[in-house]
Amino acid sequence: MRRGMSRMGAAVVAGLLLAGGITGCGGADPAPRELAAPVALPTEAPVEAPADQPSEVPPGVEAMGVAPSAKASPSASPTVKPKPKPTRTTAGPLSTPKPPTETRVPPPPPKPAPSGCQPTYQGTQATRSQVKAALGDAAARTYWPTSAPDIAIPLKLLKATAWQESGWQSNIVACDGGIGLMQVMPATADWMNQRFGQSYDIGDYRDNAYLGANYLAWLTKYIGDMYFESDYRLDASLCTDELNSCLLNAIISAYNYGHNAVAREGEPLTIPNPQYVRNVRALMTECVCLTY
């Protein structure tokens, strides 16, 4: 969820997923910081680490009283109805974007981690089935129930992003500060909790999945309003060979490089990290994690 990370992308795509001839497409990104290759995830019992195992109910969810649902979002207001969407006249993004509707924006990405730095691990690693369930729950949630209830994060996108970011390692801590399954930055988690009035715990794998999906949903709203006339479809069929042709590619790029690197007022939509986008797009159809 920040600049300068290959985050398992090269290792996973080349070593785990695309051994059958699929390799990353062209496009030179800034020198990435490699994460350790994914370790084998336990399928039944969690692998014990020095820290205590996460509680049955993650602190963030416990603080909210119930598991997150469409009704749990504080942004919902029963008296406000969604604005009707304009009819789009073009398939691609607007050449001149509209002013952003979201004025409270996330903090900028951190500086790249030092070369040669190795990630660390904290706490107990969630099992494969636990991670699968957490990602499924996060993808099923409605994050903008009032102003944009049609925003949905595809499960394949969430699974692929988690694999690209961490290899589904729920207890990994990257050198630049990214934490867990979705490699959420602490400052980004704090911002989202404040923005949406939540209390997600970045260290709990279930809350971490919600944070990553919530950030993707926020990016969908932010970039969709600016460049796609509030057309929030994250549909690969809308993309062409031009990486800046669709909202799906744009939010994948922004998850890695930050919203301001992709969407700037008065400027065309930009994809500054094409290889990252190609990796995630490939994982959405080829990832071994899709079979878990």
Side-chain angles (χ1 to χ4, degrees):
M1 187 183 286
R2 67 259 181 242
R3 181 188 301 259
M5 286 195 64
S6 66
R7 305 210 204 48
M8 320 291 310
V12 172
V13 176
L16 295 177
L17 311 176
L18 307 183
I22 299 176
T23 58
C25 301
D29 289 341
R33 192 267 301 136
E34 294 288 346
L35 284 181
V39 298
L41 294 181
T43 57
E44 297 182 358
V47 178
E48 294 298 330
D52 293 334
Q53 184 169 350
S55 61
E56 192 64 24
V57 179
V61 174
E62 188 175 31
M64 290 181 275
V66 294
S69 66
K71 297 181 180 179
S73 173
S75 61
S77 173
T79 60
V80 180
K81 295 182 179 180
K83 296 180 180 179
K85 282 198 193 77
T87 302
R88 297 206 66 205
T89 57
T90 60
L94 300 173
S95 57
T96 302
K98 296 181 178 180
T101 55
E102 279 284 300
T103 56
R104 290 181 285 177
V105 298
K111 295 180 180 179
S115 177
C117 179
Q118 295 297 317
T120 58
Y121 295 86
Q122 296 179 356
T124 301
Q125 180 171 301
T127 65
R128 180 183 297 168
S129 60
Q130 288 173 327
V131 170
K132 177 182 178 181
L135 294 173
D137 289 344
R141 185 177 177 188
T142 300
Y143 290 93
W144 293 89
T146 299
S147 60
D150 52 337
I151 289 180
I153 305 304
L155 180 56
K156 287 185 177 180
L157 172 61
L158 201 56
K159 285 183 173 181
T161 303
W163 191 266
Q164 170 75 19
E165 293 289 322
S166 69
W168 280 29
Q169 296 177 97
S170 64
N171 60 339
I172 192 170
V173 180
C175 293
D176 63 358
I179 293 176
L181 189 63
M182 300 299 293
Q183 283 295 283
V184 182
M185 299 303 299
T188 304
D190 290 343
W191 171 82
M192 279 193 288
N193 278 332
Q194 293 172 5
R195 169 65 182 83
F196 296 102
Q198 300 287 9
S199 55
Y200 293 125
D201 177 7
I202 193 174
D204 183 276
Y205 73 94
R206 286 161 288 194
D207 279 11
N208 196 283
Y210 293 131
L211 283 164
N214 203 346
Y215 186 47
L216 286 168
W218 184 89
L219 290 169
T220 301
K221 179 79 163 60
Y222 184 83
I223 299 175
D225 286 345
M226 287 182 68
Y227 290 91
F228 295 90
E229 297 184 298
S230 301
D231 181 350
Y232 304 124
R233 288 177 295 169
L234 300 177
D235 188 345
S237 67
L238 301 175
C239 306
T240 69
D241 291 339
E242 297 294 328
L243 284 180
N244 66 346
S245 61
C246 61
L247 182 58
L248 174 62
N249 290 347
I251 69 160
I252 292 172
S253 177
Y255 191 91
N256 175 234
Y257 252 48
H259 71 283
N260 195 49
V262 176
R264 295 191 180 111
E265 290 190 61
E267 297 185 17
L269 192 68
T270 302
I271 305 295
N273 48 350
Q275 194 58 54
Y276 181 91
V277 175
R278 292 187 178 106
N279 285 349
V280 174
R281 286 291 307 278
L283 289 167
M284 288 179 67
T285 57
E286 302 292 336
C287 184
V288 65
C289 63
L290 301 177
T291 64
Y292 292 163

